[in-house]
PDB file of all heavy atoms in Angstrom:
ATOM      1  N   MET F   1      27.491  22.952  53.714  1.00  0.00           N
ATOM      2  CA  MET F   1      26.780  23.770  52.774  1.00  0.00           C
ATOM      3  C   MET F   1      27.296  23.506  51.353  1.00  0.00           C
ATOM      4  O   MET F   1      28.665  23.517  51.182  1.00  0.00           O
ATOM      5  CB  MET F   1      26.790  25.190  53.159  1.00  0.00           C
ATOM      6  CG  MET F   1      25.663  26.037  52.713  1.00  0.00           C
ATOM      7  SD  MET F   1      25.822  27.684  53.153  1.00  0.00           S
ATOM      8  CE  MET F   1      25.211  28.456  51.495  1.00  0.00           C
ATOM      9  N   GLU F  14      20.547  33.165  30.114  1.00  0.00           N
ATOM     10  CA  GLU F  14      19.204  33.269  30.789  1.00  0.00           C
ATOM     11  C   GLU F  14      18.311  32.060  30.279  1.00  0.00           C
ATOM     12  O   GLU F  14      17.478  31.579  31.102  1.00  0.00           O
ATOM     13  CB  GLU F  14      18.456  34.551  30.389  1.00  0.00           C
ATOM     14  CG  GLU F  14      17.114  34.690  31.016  1.00  0.00           C
ATOM     15  CD  GLU F  14      16.390  36.092  31.045  1.00  0.00           C
ATOM     16  OE1 GLU F  14      17.056  37.101  30.987  1.00  0.00           O
ATOM     17  OE2 GLU F  14      15.118  36.101  31.021  1.00  0.00           O
ATOM     18  N   ARG F  32      24.462  16.397  43.099  1.00  0.00           N
ATOM     19  CA  ARG F  32      24.661  16.192  44.449  1.00  0.00           C
ATOM     20  C   ARG F  32      25.936  16.940  45.074  1.00  0.00           C
ATOM     21  O   ARG F  32      26.370  16.652  46.167  1.00  0.00           O
ATOM     22  CB  ARG F  32      24.854  14.790  44.783  1.00  0.00           C
ATOM     23  CG  ARG F  32      23.514  13.898  44.579  1.00  0.00           C
ATOM     24  CD  ARG F  32      22.705  14.081  45.908  1.00  0.00           C
ATOM     25  NE  ARG F  32      23.003  13.401  46.982  1.00  0.00           N
ATOM     26  CZ  ARG F  32      22.679  12.174  47.285  1.00  0.00           C
ATOM     27  NH1 ARG F  32      21.857  11.422  46.474  1.00  0.00           N
ATOM     28  NH2 ARG F  32      23.128  11.575  48.335  1.00  0.00           N
ATOM     29  N   ASP F  35      25.638  23.838  43.790  1.00  0.00           N
ATOM     30  CA  ASP F  35      24.376  24.542  43.303  1.00  0.00           C
ATOM     31  C   ASP F  35      24.797  25.412  42.108  1.00  0.00           C
ATOM     32  O   ASP F  35      25.772  26.220  42.181  1.00  0.00           O
ATOM     33  CB  ASP F  35      23.832  25.368  44.429  1.00  0.00           C
ATOM     34  CG  ASP F  35      23.165  24.654  45.522  1.00  0.00           C
ATOM     35  OD1 ASP F  35      22.660  23.509  45.184  1.00  0.00           O
ATOM     36  OD2 ASP F  35      23.059  25.153  46.579  1.00  0.00           O
ATOM     37  N   ARG F  39      22.346  33.529  36.591  1.00  0.00           N
ATOM     38  CA  ARG F  39      22.361  35.089  36.495  1.00  0.00           C
ATOM     39  C   ARG F  39      22.409  35.466  35.072  1.00  0.00           C
ATOM     40  O   ARG F  39      23.437  36.146  34.639  1.00  0.00           O
ATOM     41  CB  ARG F  39      23.500  35.583  37.461  1.00  0.00           C
ATOM     42  CG  ARG F  39      23.240  35.324  38.827  1.00  0.00           C
ATOM     43  CD  ARG F  39      22.095  36.231  39.493  1.00  0.00           C
ATOM     44  NE  ARG F  39      21.895  36.043  40.895  1.00  0.00           N
ATOM     45  CZ  ARG F  39      21.154  34.947  41.477  1.00  0.00           C
ATOM     46  NH1 ARG F  39      20.512  34.237  40.690  1.00  0.00           N
ATOM     47  NH2 ARG F  39      21.021  35.003  42.689  1.00  0.00           N
ATOM     48  N   TYR F  41      20.936  37.534  31.917  1.00  0.00           N
ATOM     49  CA  TYR F  41      20.171  38.828  31.549  1.00  0.00           C
ATOM     50  C   TYR F  41      20.067  39.106  30.155  1.00  0.00           C
ATOM     51  O   TYR F  41      20.974  39.623  29.460  1.00  0.00           O
ATOM     52  CB  TYR F  41      20.736  40.036  32.355  1.00  0.00           C
ATOM     53  CG  TYR F  41      20.881  39.727  33.756  1.00  0.00           C
ATOM     54  CD1 TYR F  41      22.085  39.255  34.247  1.00  0.00           C
ATOM     55  CD2 TYR F  41      19.724  40.016  34.599  1.00  0.00           C
ATOM     56  CE1 TYR F  41      22.121  38.755  35.743  1.00  0.00           C
ATOM     57  CE2 TYR F  41      19.866  39.801  35.960  1.00  0.00           C
ATOM     58  CZ  TYR F  41      21.048  39.168  36.560  1.00  0.00           C
ATOM     59  OH  TYR F  41      21.146  38.915  37.859  1.00  0.00           O
ATOM     60  N   TYR F  44      21.737  41.994  27.526  1.00  0.00           N
ATOM     61  CA  TYR F  44      22.779  42.780  28.175  1.00  0.00           C
ATOM     62  C   TYR F  44      24.071  42.545  27.431  1.00  0.00           C
ATOM     63  O   TYR F  44      24.440  41.543  26.941  1.00  0.00           O
ATOM     64  CB  TYR F  44      22.945  42.305  29.599  1.00  0.00           C
ATOM     65  CG  TYR F  44      21.899  42.903  30.628  1.00  0.00           C
ATOM     66  CD1 TYR F  44      20.559  43.044  30.130  1.00  0.00           C
ATOM     67  CD2 TYR F  44      22.208  43.259  31.890  1.00  0.00           C
ATOM     68  CE1 TYR F  44      19.572  43.430  31.066  1.00  0.00           C
ATOM     69  CE2 TYR F  44      21.315  43.783  32.644  1.00  0.00           C
ATOM     70  CZ  TYR F  44      19.994  43.897  32.255  1.00  0.00           C
ATOM     71  OH  TYR F  44      19.014  44.459  33.209  1.00  0.00           O
ATOM     72  N   ARG F  55      24.925  44.399  42.008  1.00  0.00           N
ATOM     73  CA  ARG F  55      23.551  43.927  42.438  1.00  0.00           C
ATOM     74  C   ARG F  55      23.518  42.473  42.053  1.00  0.00           C
ATOM     75  O   ARG F  55      22.750  41.798  42.707  1.00  0.00           O
ATOM     76  CB  ARG F  55      22.559  44.911  41.646  1.00  0.00           C
ATOM     77  CG  ARG F  55      22.419  46.222  42.332  1.00  0.00           C
ATOM     78  CD  ARG F  55      21.455  47.062  41.647  1.00  0.00           C
ATOM     79  NE  ARG F  55      22.190  47.819  40.422  1.00  0.00           N
ATOM     80  CZ  ARG F  55      21.528  48.661  39.572  1.00  0.00           C
ATOM     81  NH1 ARG F  55      20.270  48.766  39.615  1.00  0.00           N
ATOM     82  NH2 ARG F  55      22.189  49.318  38.736  1.00  0.00           N
ATOM     83  N   VAL F  60      25.968  40.201  50.614  1.00  0.00           N
ATOM     84  CA  VAL F  60      25.459  38.947  51.403  1.00  0.00           C
ATOM     85  C   VAL F  60      25.703  37.699  50.761  1.00  0.00           C
ATOM     86  O   VAL F  60      25.624  36.609  51.416  1.00  0.00           O
ATOM     87  CB  VAL F  60      24.043  39.244  51.685  1.00  0.00           C
ATOM     88  CG1 VAL F  60      23.188  39.020  50.423  1.00  0.00           C
ATOM     89  CG2 VAL F  60      23.480  38.467  52.760  1.00  0.00           C
ATOM     90  N   PHE F  92      21.780  50.090  19.848  1.00  0.00           N
ATOM     91  CA  PHE F  92      21.777  50.426  21.273  1.00  0.00           C
ATOM     92  C   PHE F  92      22.397  49.462  22.081  1.00  0.00           C
ATOM     93  O   PHE F  92      22.736  49.761  23.270  1.00  0.00           O
ATOM     94  CB  PHE F  92      20.423  50.844  21.704  1.00  0.00           C
ATOM     95  CG  PHE F  92      19.552  49.596  22.005  1.00  0.00           C
ATOM     96  CD1 PHE F  92      19.113  49.241  23.298  1.00  0.00           C
ATOM     97  CD2 PHE F  92      18.945  48.836  20.948  1.00  0.00           C
ATOM     98  CE1 PHE F  92      18.410  48.116  23.593  1.00  0.00           C
ATOM     99  CE2 PHE F  92      18.192  47.827  21.171  1.00  0.00           C
ATOM    100  CZ  PHE F  92      17.764  47.326  22.501  1.00  0.00           C
ATOM    101  N   ASP F 224      27.071  15.420  48.630  1.00  0.00           N
ATOM    102  CA  ASP F 224      26.107  15.975  49.715  1.00  0.00           C
ATOM    103  C   ASP F 224      25.239  14.727  50.151  1.00  0.00           C
ATOM    104  O   ASP F 224      24.372  14.228  49.516  1.00  0.00           O
ATOM    105  CB  ASP F 224      25.271  17.007  49.182  1.00  0.00           C
ATOM    106  CG  ASP F 224      24.225  17.621  50.162  1.00  0.00           C
ATOM    107  OD1 ASP F 224      24.476  17.430  51.426  1.00  0.00           O
ATOM    108  OD2 ASP F 224      23.135  17.958  49.761  1.00  0.00           O
ATOM    109  N   PRO F 226      24.880  10.697  52.092  1.00  0.00           N
ATOM    110  CA  PRO F 226      25.336   9.425  51.442  1.00  0.00           C
ATOM    111  C   PRO F 226      24.521   9.011  50.216  1.00  0.00           C
ATOM    112  O   PRO F 226      23.370   9.207  50.166  1.00  0.00           O
ATOM    113  CB  PRO F 226      24.901   8.405  52.728  1.00  0.00           C
ATOM    114  CG  PRO F 226      25.025   9.273  53.980  1.00  0.00           C
ATOM    115  CD  PRO F 226      24.535  10.655  53.582  1.00  0.00           C
ATOM    116  N   HIS F 233      22.142  -2.123  53.473  1.00  0.00           N
ATOM    117  CA  HIS F 233      20.795  -2.614  53.464  1.00  0.00           C
ATOM    118  C   HIS F 233      20.349  -3.142  54.884  1.00  0.00           C
ATOM    119  O   HIS F 233      19.107  -3.115  55.232  1.00  0.00           O
ATOM    120  CB  HIS F 233      20.566  -3.636  52.395  1.00  0.00           C
ATOM    121  CG  HIS F 233      20.635  -3.080  51.052  1.00  0.00           C
ATOM    122  ND1 HIS F 233      19.961  -3.667  49.912  1.00  0.00           N
ATOM    123  CD2 HIS F 233      21.301  -2.038  50.516  1.00  0.00           C
ATOM    124  CE1 HIS F 233      20.343  -2.864  48.910  1.00  0.00           C
ATOM    125  NE2 HIS F 233      21.076  -2.009  49.235  1.00  0.00           N
ATOM    126  N   PHE F 240      23.547   7.650  58.483  1.00  0.00           N
ATOM    127  CA  PHE F 240      23.036   8.960  58.917  1.00  0.00           C
ATOM    128  C   PHE F 240      23.589   9.392  60.271  1.00  0.00           C
ATOM    129  O   PHE F 240      22.972  10.431  60.660  1.00  0.00           O
ATOM    130  CB  PHE F 240      21.521   9.050  58.624  1.00  0.00           C
ATOM    131  CG  PHE F 240      21.087   8.810  57.213  1.00  0.00           C
ATOM    132  CD1 PHE F 240      20.496   7.517  56.947  1.00  0.00           C
ATOM    133  CD2 PHE F 240      21.348   9.561  56.119  1.00  0.00           C
ATOM    134  CE1 PHE F 240      20.091   7.200  55.692  1.00  0.00           C
ATOM    135  CE2 PHE F 240      21.060   9.288  54.825  1.00  0.00           C
ATOM    136  CZ  PHE F 240      20.408   7.971  54.572  1.00  0.00           C
TER     137      PHE F 240
ATOM    138  N   MET T   1      18.586  40.724  46.740  1.00  0.00           N
ATOM    139  CA  MET T   1      18.869  39.366  46.569  1.00  0.00           C
ATOM    140  C   MET T   1      17.747  38.442  46.196  1.00  0.00           C
ATOM    141  O   MET T   1      16.707  38.747  46.662  1.00  0.00           O
ATOM    142  CB  MET T   1      19.519  38.812  47.909  1.00  0.00           C
ATOM    143  CG  MET T   1      20.469  37.825  47.717  1.00  0.00           C
ATOM    144  SD  MET T   1      20.929  36.938  49.396  1.00  0.00           S
ATOM    145  CE  MET T   1      21.010  35.349  49.047  1.00  0.00           C
ATOM    146  N   GLU T  14      15.947  14.516  42.266  1.00  0.00           N
ATOM    147  CA  GLU T  14      17.319  14.600  42.034  1.00  0.00           C
ATOM    148  C   GLU T  14      17.574  14.655  40.459  1.00  0.00           C
ATOM    149  O   GLU T  14      18.350  15.382  40.020  1.00  0.00           O
ATOM    150  CB  GLU T  14      18.116  13.344  42.643  1.00  0.00           C
ATOM    151  CG  GLU T  14      19.697  13.537  42.314  1.00  0.00           C
ATOM    152  CD  GLU T  14      20.573  12.514  43.019  1.00  0.00           C
ATOM    153  OE1 GLU T  14      20.191  12.082  44.046  1.00  0.00           O
ATOM    154  OE2 GLU T  14      21.625  12.145  42.447  1.00  0.00           O
ATOM    155  N   ARG T  32      14.202  35.077  36.000  1.00  0.00           N
ATOM    156  CA  ARG T  32      14.786  36.345  36.388  1.00  0.00           C
ATOM    157  C   ARG T  32      14.147  36.709  37.829  1.00  0.00           C
ATOM    158  O   ARG T  32      14.162  37.886  38.190  1.00  0.00           O
ATOM    159  CB  ARG T  32      14.276  37.372  35.364  1.00  0.00           C
ATOM    160  CG  ARG T  32      15.123  37.349  34.124  1.00  0.00           C
ATOM    161  CD  ARG T  32      16.515  37.964  34.359  1.00  0.00           C
ATOM    162  NE  ARG T  32      16.483  39.437  34.434  1.00  0.00           N
ATOM    163  CZ  ARG T  32      16.553  40.246  33.370  1.00  0.00           C
ATOM    164  NH1 ARG T  32      16.628  39.715  32.141  1.00  0.00           N
ATOM    165  NH2 ARG T  32      16.574  41.494  33.343  1.00  0.00           N
ATOM    166  N   ASP T  35      15.591  31.758  42.677  1.00  0.00           N
ATOM    167  CA  ASP T  35      16.651  30.783  42.514  1.00  0.00           C
ATOM    168  C   ASP T  35      15.909  29.449  42.813  1.00  0.00           C
ATOM    169  O   ASP T  35      15.491  29.335  44.009  1.00  0.00           O
ATOM    170  CB  ASP T  35      17.759  30.984  43.341  1.00  0.00           C
ATOM    171  CG  ASP T  35      18.609  32.039  42.808  1.00  0.00           C
ATOM    172  OD1 ASP T  35      18.673  32.361  41.534  1.00  0.00           O
ATOM    173  OD2 ASP T  35      19.506  32.660  43.493  1.00  0.00           O
ATOM    174  N   ARG T  39      17.529  19.912  45.917  1.00  0.00           N
ATOM    175  CA  ARG T  39      18.035  19.027  47.153  1.00  0.00           C
ATOM    176  C   ARG T  39      17.300  17.704  46.946  1.00  0.00           C
ATOM    177  O   ARG T  39      16.411  17.307  47.738  1.00  0.00           O
ATOM    178  CB  ARG T  39      17.549  19.814  48.442  1.00  0.00           C
ATOM    179  CG  ARG T  39      18.383  20.981  48.724  1.00  0.00           C
ATOM    180  CD  ARG T  39      19.885  20.749  49.025  1.00  0.00           C
ATOM    181  NE  ARG T  39      20.601  21.910  49.329  1.00  0.00           N
ATOM    182  CZ  ARG T  39      21.322  22.695  48.456  1.00  0.00           C
ATOM    183  NH1 ARG T  39      21.293  22.231  47.083  1.00  0.00           N
ATOM    184  NH2 ARG T  39      21.967  23.759  48.841  1.00  0.00           N
ATOM    185  N   TYR T  41      17.669  13.483  46.629  1.00  0.00           N
ATOM    186  CA  TYR T  41      18.500  12.547  47.179  1.00  0.00           C
ATOM    187  C   TYR T  41      17.959  11.120  46.807  1.00  0.00           C
ATOM    188  O   TYR T  41      17.027  10.597  47.448  1.00  0.00           O
ATOM    189  CB  TYR T  41      18.653  12.563  48.773  1.00  0.00           C
ATOM    190  CG  TYR T  41      19.253  13.968  49.063  1.00  0.00           C
ATOM    191  CD1 TYR T  41      18.261  15.093  49.406  1.00  0.00           C
ATOM    192  CD2 TYR T  41      20.487  14.197  49.253  1.00  0.00           C
ATOM    193  CE1 TYR T  41      18.730  16.274  49.717  1.00  0.00           C
ATOM    194  CE2 TYR T  41      21.023  15.387  49.528  1.00  0.00           C
ATOM    195  CZ  TYR T  41      20.173  16.452  49.908  1.00  0.00           C
ATOM    196  OH  TYR T  41      20.745  17.657  50.172  1.00  0.00           O
ATOM    197  N   TYR T  44      16.149   7.965  48.796  1.00  0.00           N
ATOM    198  CA  TYR T  44      15.693   8.417  50.255  1.00  0.00           C
ATOM    199  C   TYR T  44      14.281   8.125  50.483  1.00  0.00           C
ATOM    200  O   TYR T  44      13.286   8.432  49.573  1.00  0.00           O
ATOM    201  CB  TYR T  44      16.245   9.711  50.512  1.00  0.00           C
ATOM    202  CG  TYR T  44      17.690   9.892  50.890  1.00  0.00           C
ATOM    203  CD1 TYR T  44      18.629   9.254  50.147  1.00  0.00           C
ATOM    204  CD2 TYR T  44      18.034  10.774  51.891  1.00  0.00           C
ATOM    205  CE1 TYR T  44      19.949   9.352  50.475  1.00  0.00           C
ATOM    206  CE2 TYR T  44      19.308  10.910  52.156  1.00  0.00           C
ATOM    207  CZ  TYR T  44      20.294  10.255  51.358  1.00  0.00           C
ATOM    208  OH  TYR T  44      21.730  10.360  51.796  1.00  0.00           O
ATOM    209  N   ARG T  55      20.965  19.039  57.989  1.00  0.00           N
ATOM    210  CA  ARG T  55      22.114  19.053  57.042  1.00  0.00           C
ATOM    211  C   ARG T  55      21.699  19.662  55.678  1.00  0.00           C
ATOM    212  O   ARG T  55      22.422  20.350  55.017  1.00  0.00           O
ATOM    213  CB  ARG T  55      22.794  17.822  56.915  1.00  0.00           C
ATOM    214  CG  ARG T  55      23.716  17.457  58.263  1.00  0.00           C
ATOM    215  CD  ARG T  55      24.379  16.045  58.168  1.00  0.00           C
ATOM    216  NE  ARG T  55      23.511  15.105  58.794  1.00  0.00           N
ATOM    217  CZ  ARG T  55      23.885  13.825  58.722  1.00  0.00           C
ATOM    218  NH1 ARG T  55      24.896  13.449  58.197  1.00  0.00           N
ATOM    219  NH2 ARG T  55      22.997  12.922  59.139  1.00  0.00           N
ATOM    220  N   VAL T  60      22.960  28.237  58.244  1.00  0.00           N
ATOM    221  CA  VAL T  60      23.582  29.445  57.491  1.00  0.00           C
ATOM    222  C   VAL T  60      22.657  29.860  56.309  1.00  0.00           C
ATOM    223  O   VAL T  60      22.660  30.924  55.704  1.00  0.00           O
ATOM    224  CB  VAL T  60      24.986  29.122  57.086  1.00  0.00           C
ATOM    225  CG1 VAL T  60      25.032  28.084  56.115  1.00  0.00           C
ATOM    226  CG2 VAL T  60      25.646  30.406  56.624  1.00  0.00           C
ATOM    227  N   GLU T  61      21.914  28.878  55.860  1.00  0.00           N
ATOM    228  CA  GLU T  61      21.056  29.026  54.677  1.00  0.00           C
ATOM    229  C   GLU T  61      19.590  29.512  55.027  1.00  0.00           C
ATOM    230  O   GLU T  61      18.737  29.687  54.214  1.00  0.00           O
ATOM    231  CB  GLU T  61      20.833  27.774  53.927  1.00  0.00           C
ATOM    232  CG  GLU T  61      21.981  27.557  52.999  1.00  0.00           C
ATOM    233  CD  GLU T  61      21.869  26.456  51.973  1.00  0.00           C
ATOM    234  OE1 GLU T  61      20.735  25.939  51.917  1.00  0.00           O
ATOM    235  OE2 GLU T  61      22.777  26.101  51.177  1.00  0.00           O
ATOM    236  N   PHE T  92      14.589  -2.604  52.364  1.00  0.00           N
ATOM    237  CA  PHE T  92      15.292  -1.534  53.260  1.00  0.00           C
ATOM    238  C   PHE T  92      14.858  -0.217  53.073  1.00  0.00           C
ATOM    239  O   PHE T  92      15.203   0.720  53.852  1.00  0.00           O
ATOM    240  CB  PHE T  92      16.884  -1.773  52.989  1.00  0.00           C
ATOM    241  CG  PHE T  92      17.406  -1.170  51.723  1.00  0.00           C
ATOM    242  CD1 PHE T  92      18.098  -0.076  51.732  1.00  0.00           C
ATOM    243  CD2 PHE T  92      17.085  -1.689  50.478  1.00  0.00           C
ATOM    244  CE1 PHE T  92      18.634   0.582  50.612  1.00  0.00           C
ATOM    245  CE2 PHE T  92      17.629  -1.058  49.374  1.00  0.00           C
ATOM    246  CZ  PHE T  92      18.378  -0.039  49.394  1.00  0.00           C
ATOM    247  N   ASP T 224      14.564  40.636  38.621  1.00  0.00           N
ATOM    248  CA  ASP T 224      15.948  41.009  38.981  1.00  0.00           C
ATOM    249  C   ASP T 224      16.434  41.765  37.790  1.00  0.00           C
ATOM    250  O   ASP T 224      16.695  41.306  36.737  1.00  0.00           O
ATOM    251  CB  ASP T 224      16.733  39.753  39.164  1.00  0.00           C
ATOM    252  CG  ASP T 224      18.047  40.071  39.495  1.00  0.00           C
ATOM    253  OD1 ASP T 224      18.491  41.098  40.034  1.00  0.00           O
ATOM    254  OD2 ASP T 224      18.957  39.117  39.201  1.00  0.00           O
ATOM    255  N   PRO T 226      16.562  45.483  35.150  1.00  0.00           N
ATOM    256  CA  PRO T 226      15.590  45.841  34.165  1.00  0.00           C
ATOM    257  C   PRO T 226      15.625  44.864  32.867  1.00  0.00           C
ATOM    258  O   PRO T 226      16.587  44.258  32.421  1.00  0.00           O
ATOM    259  CB  PRO T 226      16.305  47.165  33.601  1.00  0.00           C
ATOM    260  CG  PRO T 226      17.012  47.676  34.710  1.00  0.00           C
ATOM    261  CD  PRO T 226      17.559  46.479  35.445  1.00  0.00           C
ATOM    262  N   PHE T 240      19.935  51.838  34.560  1.00  0.00           N
ATOM    263  CA  PHE T 240      20.796  51.141  35.539  1.00  0.00           C
ATOM    264  C   PHE T 240      21.249  52.080  36.584  1.00  0.00           C
ATOM    265  O   PHE T 240      22.172  51.719  37.381  1.00  0.00           O
ATOM    266  CB  PHE T 240      21.957  50.614  34.797  1.00  0.00           C
ATOM    267  CG  PHE T 240      21.675  49.437  33.716  1.00  0.00           C
ATOM    268  CD1 PHE T 240      21.713  49.816  32.339  1.00  0.00           C
ATOM    269  CD2 PHE T 240      21.181  48.369  34.044  1.00  0.00           C
ATOM    270  CE1 PHE T 240      21.383  48.876  31.453  1.00  0.00           C
ATOM    271  CE2 PHE T 240      20.667  47.324  33.106  1.00  0.00           C
ATOM    272  CZ  PHE T 240      20.830  47.637  31.813  1.00  0.00           C
TER     273      PHE T 240
END
Side-chain angles (χ1 to χ4, degrees):
Chain F
M1 207 187 140
E14 183 173 329
R32 286 287 282 275
D35 286 335
R39 291 292 180 269
Y41 302 92
Y44 281 40
R55 283 178 273 174
V60 70
F92 75 107
D224 179 25
H233 291 208
F240 303 107
Chain T
M1 207 189 139
E14 183 173 328
R32 286 287 284 272
D35 285 336
R39 290 294 179 269
Y41 302 91
Y44 280 40
R55 282 177 274 175
V60 70
E61 276 187 7
F92 75 108
D224 179 25
F240 302 107

